[in-house]
Amino acid sequence: MNARRILAVFSFVFFFLIADRSFVRADGETEIPSITANPAHTATRVPSVTPTRELTAAELEIRENEAYVEKLLNEINLLREKYDRPALIPDPALQQVANDQAAWFARSNKLSERTKDNRTLKALAQDYKYAGGASFAVRQNSAMVWKTTPTDYVIDKIWFSSVSERAKLLSADYLHAGIATVVINNRRFIALVTGKLANGALTYTPLPTIDNATPVPIEELGDLELPPAENPVITSTPASDGSIAHVVLKGQTLSEIAYAYESGWNGIALLNNLDLENPLIYEGDLILICPRFTDTVTPTVTGTPIPPTRTPRPTYTLAPGETPRNQNELHGGTPVPPPGGFVNSLYGRLDRFKVPVAWALIIASALGLTLAFVCRKN
């Protein structure tokens, strides 16, 4: 028992001496040992893992289209900056118009300037309360490409290569924009809708949305007729001076008006001093379809007075012994030359030279035949 105690004390002293020496570094300073925790008594904190949901094909397509649209808008603005044009401003109403147009392109598999219900683009923008009730104009750039077609190809090879599309892309007035794209059957349909307010403002107050859950009382409507969604073009009656003028109604386009009046829109644009590259008309405008007649100076008719007395016609008097050749000469009228004209008259005067002239012609004919025979024989 005593031996165990002595061994324990000796072991403690030996361990203390060794530990004390290990704490002293070469420079003589005491080094404080680092304490290592016992792994058996260390609690391991397991990080919490949030379970992730795998996106569906439709969600992946939406994200891909959003990234494509964002990239397309950035590249368009870079191009506009290169040509000193202000950047396009995304507009919620025009974004809805672009969404509808892109979806319509995909369903019909074609591009169109009209909407799915064959209305104008302006009418669709009015449905989405663009411009807040103020006068405005909208236009569209569209494209149909493959799904993998890059955005720079759409801008450079499709829109920028056409004069009309380039003018719309680089317009300094049409600053509100909405871009949408839809992919179907590996084809990508793109719609870029730009708009501007007639007063040139960049901001507007949207019209309040009417709650359809609260119907309008019937007694307040009375006999009021609601305006139709589309106003067909009704031709105007020509004025007294021949001119024809037309009042532009909601949703009517210059092409529709020209078609109704069986005229060309270029001529109407020239008559009304519109831009031939981008002829704009607004609701309520009075445009000239046909100019008035050109005044033609009517000459003044001066009556010629009738002579008071009739001038007598001279009479022909027969020579002594001459017999009348017709009734005019018999009654003292103007002699009428005999039929045959100048040749018979000349031949009648040469009556006494008939025989010599005949022999002269015969001799000349004989000489001609003889010379012809001799020349042919030689």
Side-chain angles (χ1 to χ4, degrees):
M1 187 70 179
N2 293 330
R4 291 182 179 179
R5 290 181 179 178
I6 293 172
L7 181 60
V9 172
F10 180 77
S11 298
F12 177 77
V13 173
F14 181 76
F15 175 78
F16 180 80
L17 293 175
I18 294 175
D20 183 69
R21 179 172 292 182
S22 63
F23 295 157
V24 179
R25 296 187 304 187
D27 54 4
E29 296 182 2
T30 304
E31 181 180 3
I32 301 175
S34 60
I35 301 175
T36 303
N38 188 358
H41 301 284
T42 303
T44 303
R45 178 176 295 177
V46 180
S48 60
V49 179
T50 304
T52 58
R53 182 178 62 86
E54 188 173 336
L55 298 178
T56 63
E59 292 174 338
L60 289 174
E61 182 178 348
I62 291 175
R63 291 193 177 185
E64 179 186 355
N65 290 339
E66 290 177 350
Y68 192 94
V69 166
E70 183 179 0
K71 184 177 181 181
L72 183 62
L73 179 60
N74 291 335
E75 292 187 2
I76 291 175
N77 284 334
L78 289 176
L79 180 66
R80 292 174 62 87
E81 182 181 359
K82 179 181 177 181
Y83 287 89
D84 297 328
R85 299 293 193 274
L88 295 179
I89 304 172
D91 185 85
L94 294 185
Q95 183 61 45
Q96 294 293 333
V97 176
N99 292 339
D100 286 6
Q101 287 296 93
W104 164 239
F105 297 162
R107 286 196 300 269
S108 60
N109 196 29
K110 65 178 182 179
L111 304 179
S112 175
E113 293 292 330
R114 310 285 292 184
T115 64
K116 61 183 179 181
D117 49 359
N118 199 27
R119 292 194 301 159
T120 62
L121 204 65
K122 185 175 182 180
L124 183 59
Q126 286 175 334
D127 291 344
Y128 287 112
K129 310 298 187 295
Y130 174 64
S135 298
F136 68 92
V138 291
R139 55 191 183 186
Q140 171 185 271
N141 294 75
S142 57
M144 179 174 59
V145 295
W146 295 112
K147 178 181 179 181
T148 57
T149 302
T151 54
D152 56 352
Y153 182 90
V154 176
I155 296 175
D156 298 336
K157 303 299 182 181
I158 298 179
W159 290 342
F160 203 74
S161 60
S162 172
V163 176
S164 59
E165 297 295 310
R166 183 194 315 164
K168 292 188 286 186
L169 197 65
L170 298 178
S171 174
D173 300 328
Y174 289 74
L175 299 181
H176 295 149
I179 309 179
T181 178
V182 173
V183 177
I184 185 171
N185 296 332
N186 204 29
R187 287 184 177 270
R188 183 180 298 276
F189 298 87
I190 306 171
L192 167 61
V193 180
T194 54
K196 74 166 185 176
L197 275 66
N199 56 9
L202 296 180
T203 58
Y204 61 91
T205 303
L207 293 174
T209 303
I210 300 176
D211 186 7
N212 294 327
T214 306
V216 180
I218 299 178
E219 57 269 17
E220 292 184 5
L221 293 177
D223 297 332
L224 179 65
E225 292 185 2
L226 296 177
E230 182 75 11
N231 290 311
V233 179
I234 301 176
T235 57
S236 303
T237 305
S240 58
D241 58 357
S243 62
I244 302 176
H246 180 80
V247 178
V248 180
L249 300 181
K250 178 181 179 181
Q252 293 181 354
T253 63
L254 186 61
S255 301
E256 294 172 342
I257 295 173
Y259 179 80
Y261 285 95
E262 298 182 356
S263 178
W265 67 267
N266 305 76
I268 298 178
L270 289 173
L271 282 176
N272 296 271
N273 297 323
L274 301 178
D275 184 10
L276 293 180
E277 183 66 26
N278 184 29
L280 298 178
I281 56 175
Y282 300 97
E283 180 182 351
D285 288 351
L286 181 65
I287 59 175
L288 186 63
I289 305 298
C290 181
R292 63 185 182 88
F293 296 143
T294 303
D295 295 334
T296 304
V297 179
T298 304
T300 304
V301 180
T302 304
T304 303
I306 301 176
T309 56
R310 185 175 181 179
T311 303
R313 185 172 55 182
T315 58
Y316 178 75
T317 305
L318 294 176
E322 184 180 3
T323 58
R325 287 174 290 181
N326 49 47
Q327 294 296 325
N328 287 344
E329 291 185 1
L330 181 61
H331 296 283
T334 303
V336 178
F342 174 76
V343 177
N344 287 342
S345 176
L346 180 62
Y347 189 74
R349 295 178 182 178
L350 299 178
D351 186 46
R352 55 185 177 178
F353 299 105
K354 290 181 180 179
V355 176
V357 171
W359 280 108
L361 293 175
I362 292 173
I363 294 172
S365 299
L367 290 176
L369 293 173
T370 304
L371 290 175
F373 179 77
V374 172
C375 292
R376 184 176 180 182
K377 185 175 181 181
N378 294 334

